[in-house]
Amino acid sequence: MITFLQLLRDPMNQINGFKFIHDFSGTSIHHLKYCTPQAVHLLYHSSLYCIPGRYKEMHLLYDSIALKTLWAIARFMVSEKIKQRVFIHSSPEELNDYFSRSVLPAEYGGEIEDIYSEDFARKANKANTECTVAGQANFY
């Protein structure tokens, strides 16, 4: 939630929207006990109706049995427009058709070496002091 809200402070993200990747590597059938229809609906509803973001593409990586089952439950809840924006990939190489190598992490065949920032909370809170409720300065 913090990540989305921080990204939405940038007017270019407000205009262009989000393309994101969910990595399902390491998931198993045991994870499905947390994916009740109520939990899936809550996640869907809060993502689409509580965060004012524009979701352009959702890429689900490493199609496991857990992901296939989760998508079978979720696809009845999502609109036709969202269904067309969900892409399921079995390998990271398939992401190169949708993303430039300059924005992909090295583990997915991209050029970004360090994607894990240990001081993200500090940076996010610093952005809150620099950009108040009034937002960022106009780029134009």
Side-chain angles (χ1 to χ4, degrees):
M1 181 73 127
I2 291 173
T3 304
F4 279 117
L5 293 177
Q6 285 303 112
L7 291 172
L8 283 171
R9 289 178 170 274
D10 185 354
M12 296 311 288
N13 286 336
Q14 295 171 13
I15 295 167
N16 296 325
F18 301 113
K19 289 171 61 174
F20 53 87
I21 302 168
H22 285 288
D23 188 344
F24 283 88
S25 62
T27 57
S28 67
I29 199 79
H30 300 292
H31 289 95
L32 289 177
K33 67 181 174 183
Y34 302 107
C35 298
T36 63
Q38 294 88 358
V40 172
H41 181 268
L42 180 64
L43 178 65
Y44 167 72
H45 182 76
S46 62
S47 298
L48 291 181
Y49 299 112
C50 297
I51 299 173
R54 299 178 69 191
Y55 300 98
K56 295 298 184 180
E57 294 177 3
M58 291 165 260
H59 297 270
L60 310 176
L61 189 56
Y62 296 117
D63 56 346
S64 63
I65 187 71
L67 174 58
K68 289 177 184 176
T69 307
L70 178 62
W71 180 241
I73 295 169
R75 81 170 182 215
F76 293 109
M77 298 178 197
V78 301
S79 67
E80 204 55 45
K81 179 177 163 182
I82 297 297
K83 284 181 196 176
Q84 294 173 358
R85 295 179 180 187
V86 173
F87 302 94
I88 299 177
H89 307 286
S90 57
S91 69
E93 290 79 28
E94 296 175 21
L95 292 173
N96 292 327
D97 296 336
Y98 299 92
F99 294 92
S100 168
R101 289 178 43 89
S102 64
V103 299
L104 284 175
E107 65 185 296
Y108 298 150
E111 299 172 358
I112 299 176
E113 293 296 326
D114 184 25
I115 62 169
Y116 300 104
S117 177
E118 292 179 7
D119 58 348
F120 173 75
R122 192 174 315 114
K123 289 179 183 176
N125 288 332
K126 184 177 182 228
N128 283 337
T129 60
E130 293 172 358
C131 303
T132 62
V133 175
Q136 291 182 340
N138 195 344
F139 287 123
Y140 307 107

